[in-house]
Amino acid sequence: MAGREVERPQHLGDGQPRDIAVIHLDGVPPGRWGLRGKPADEAAPAITFGVREAAFTRPDSDEIADRLVRTVTDAVAGVLGTHLRDSIAVELVATPAGRTGIGGVIVDRQAG
């Protein structure tokens, strides 16, 4: 990220810590990125969300996906620069129940 690093996140959204959130901040060296099949001078931000599969079976799942993609794109453009807005990729990956673990324990099986 070449000096554009932001302070490491401590809380998400409403200021409450999230015990099951994992955030990766990965940088790509200059000259090692392409966009739309062409070399790019600056790496485009790519955000991947692991979302519980149940979120995509709700009646409002299209609205949820739209809001997540739009809000995350706005946030990333606000931090890294609006010139990157058209290149920001947000991927929502559905994770079935019982397929996420933290600390060696399946999340859906944790007590309370």
Side-chain angles (χ1 to χ4, degrees):
M1 291 177 35
R4 296 177 68 172
E5 295 83 357
V6 295
E7 185 176 325
R8 184 176 55 138
Q10 300 295 319
H11 299 281
L12 301 174
D14 58 5
Q16 299 299 313
R18 298 290 185 246
D19 294 337
I20 62 170
V22 178
I23 299 171
H24 296 266
L25 301 175
D26 300 319
V28 178
R32 305 263 183 198
W33 187 260
L35 184 61
R36 297 180 183 103
K38 298 178 183 177
D41 294 331
E42 190 170 15
I47 300 92
T48 303
F49 275 97
V51 179
R52 300 279 174 99
E53 187 176 54
F56 296 115
T57 61
R58 295 170 41 147
D60 60 345
S61 64
D62 286 346
E63 181 184 339
I64 290 170
D66 289 346
R67 288 181 59 206
L68 274 171
V69 169
R70 185 176 55 252
T71 303
V72 170
T73 299
D74 290 346
V76 172
V79 171
L80 298 180
T82 57
H83 67 287
L84 294 172
R85 175 176 297 285
D86 290 342
S87 65
I88 297 169
V90 178
E91 181 180 11
L92 306 176
V93 179
T95 304
R99 298 295 184 258
T100 300
I102 297 177
V105 178
I106 299 294
V107 172
D108 294 339
R109 295 183 193 153
Q110 291 179 347

